[in-house]
Amino acid sequence: MSETPGENRMGTGAPGAVDPSAQDKDVQDELKDWLEWGKHAAETGKDFASLGWAELRLAMSDAKRIAILGLAMLPLALLAWIGLSVLLAWLAYVPSGSVALGLAVFLAVQVIPIMVMLMMIKGYSKSLSLPATKRHIQAFKEAFRDGAKGSS
């Protein structure tokens, strides 16, 4: 018997018959593609990591500069505050001619912000006691007690 042309081609012959060598080649090609993709992904990850480290080093050096500039601004801010206080005290003294009123304004410009800051500190210090966590723990304890009473 003679062979029919194309009998050994894929998709011909018995239904479901596949050439094993072609299937192995497809699997190998797919594995090569996956390995190539993995290499690209690793290279991209390496590039992102080096970019991240470089940017972090730059940010840290900028943070140091910002801290130094902030410290340098403190004396200037203090002098500006004193200048504002003296100006307001002078503006109170000139029309009234009362040194006591000028000194009282100067003192008020110092004391009022301190009082506001103390009230703010008092408000912020309440959060230091972890009120939400305490409420949650209390609710958990009550639920546990209620559950223990119900199962008895």
Side-chain angles (χ1 to χ4, degrees):
M1 284 179 105
S2 68
E3 277 189 305
T4 311
E7 195 173 49
N8 290 331
R9 283 189 299 170
M10 238 168 61
T12 61
V18 178
D19 186 13
S21 64
Q23 190 176 19
D24 287 345
K25 180 144 176 64
D26 289 344
V27 169
Q28 288 176 352
D29 288 343
E30 179 125 4
L31 283 174
K32 285 180 185 177
D33 289 344
W34 277 104
L35 285 173
E36 191 68 26
W37 181 86
K39 287 178 186 176
H40 287 297
E43 189 174 326
T44 302
K46 178 183 165 191
D47 290 343
F48 276 134
S50 64
L51 174 65
W53 280 114
E55 197 166 23
L56 184 62
R57 285 192 305 269
L58 179 64
M60 290 302 292
S61 67
D62 286 346
K64 290 175 188 174
R65 289 182 184 104
I66 289 170
I68 290 170
L69 286 172
L71 288 174
M73 283 179 19
L74 285 176
L76 295 174
L78 181 63
L79 288 172
W81 182 258
I82 292 170
L84 175 68
S85 301
V86 169
L87 174 67
L88 293 175
W90 183 259
L91 290 175
Y93 166 72
V94 168
S96 69
S98 171
V99 175
L101 181 62
L103 290 175
V105 168
F106 182 83
L107 186 62
V109 170
Q110 310 308 313
V111 172
I112 291 172
I114 289 173
M115 298 304 286
V116 169
M117 287 184 231
L118 286 174
M119 287 189 299
M120 292 173 70
I121 287 172
K122 187 176 180 181
Y124 291 143
S125 66
K126 289 180 183 176
S127 68
L128 294 177
S129 66
L130 308 174
T133 303
K134 285 182 180 179
R135 285 192 304 269
H136 185 72
I137 290 172
Q138 188 63 30
F140 179 76
K141 286 178 183 178
E142 290 173 9
F144 184 74
R145 274 189 238 128
D146 292 344
K149 289 178 184 175
S151 64
S152 297

